[in-house]
Amino acid sequence: SCDIVGLLCLRTAKSGGLSSLVSSTTIFNEMHRRRPDLLRVLMEPIETDRRGEVPEGSKPYFTIPVFNYHDGLVSTIYQRQYIESARRFPDVAPLTPQQIEALDLLDQLANDPRLVLMMEFAPGDIQLVHNHTILHDRTAFEDYDEPDRKRHLLRLWIAPESGRPLPPVFAER
């Protein structure tokens, strides 16, 4: 698993393409304040689709909590689409009403304009995001038709040896 993701924009699209950032620690704290019962649900393991990146001998999904408390730190792994798509496997149970309510609250907080930072990329911009403390998303964009003007975004995963300690279950990712 990686601690940091770096994005480098070499060319941008002709419209749209905002980057959305929100602190997963803020979401954790806000859920604890509003609905600790739902926060506890997200600290329990939940199946998450590997999306075809399946190590030999492994299932096509891994089971991991959204919020993980380890060595005094909260680390997060969250992509709702992957949690929902894991339900396609016959040995994965449907989401419970409480899990859906917890995920809905997380999504509501992750999209709260009071908590979210929106950024527009320009050519040459670099964004470094700690992948287990910041949730990130991108809005839709309209790209150019000409190949030499198409949007070009590079992603680099960095896992420094001195990075934050991650729970052993993160090795599944």
Side-chain angles (χ1 to χ4, degrees):
S1 84
C2 299
D3 278 338
I4 299 171
V5 60
L7 297 175
L8 168 62
C9 183
L10 300 177
R11 288 192 298 270
T12 57
K14 60 182 170 180
S15 68
L18 295 176
S19 178
S20 168
L21 305 171
V22 63
S23 164
S24 60
T25 305
T26 298
I27 292 172
F28 178 92
N29 290 336
E30 190 61 22
M31 288 187 76
H32 184 268
R33 187 182 70 77
R34 290 185 193 189
R35 293 292 304 274
D37 60 316
L38 294 180
L39 177 59
R40 279 190 292 280
V41 170
L42 297 180
M43 294 183 78
E44 295 295 323
I46 191 167
E47 297 84 357
T48 302
D49 197 339
R50 291 183 189 270
R51 293 289 175 112
E53 295 180 17
V54 184
E56 189 175 325
S58 296
K59 293 182 178 186
Y61 60 89
F62 55 95
T63 304
I64 190 168
V66 171
F67 291 110
N68 294 266
Y69 188 76
H70 177 73
D71 264 7
L73 300 169
V74 174
S75 296
T76 308
I77 288 183
Y78 182 63
Q79 179 104 26
R80 182 153 186 180
Q81 302 94 312
Y82 293 7
I83 290 171
E84 290 179 343
S85 67
R87 311 297 123 198
R88 66 192 167 115
F89 302 110
D91 58 337
V92 175
L95 293 171
T96 68
Q98 197 173 29
Q99 286 173 320
I100 293 169
E101 187 178 6
L103 294 170
D104 286 348
L105 178 56
L106 190 160
D107 287 343
Q108 176 189 346
L109 291 168
N111 291 296
D112 185 330
R114 296 170 296 170
L115 304 179
V116 174
L117 171 68
M118 299 298 283
M119 293 177 61
E120 184 173 2
F121 274 109
D125 281 354
I126 296 175
Q127 179 185 74
L128 295 177
V129 174
H130 193 288
N131 218 32
H132 299 304
T133 61
I134 301 291
L135 299 180
H136 49 94
D137 199 3
R138 289 175 298 283
T139 61
F141 64 92
E142 182 182 350
D143 209 351
Y144 292 99
D145 291 329
E146 303 88 359
D148 62 328
R149 295 183 74 198
K150 284 198 175 292
R151 177 179 187 252
H152 189 74
L153 187 69
L154 301 176
R155 182 184 319 247
L156 171 68
W157 299 94
I158 303 170
E161 286 184 29
S162 61
R164 81 190 277 128
L166 296 174
V169 71
F170 274 50
E172 280 292 314
R173 184 167 184 252

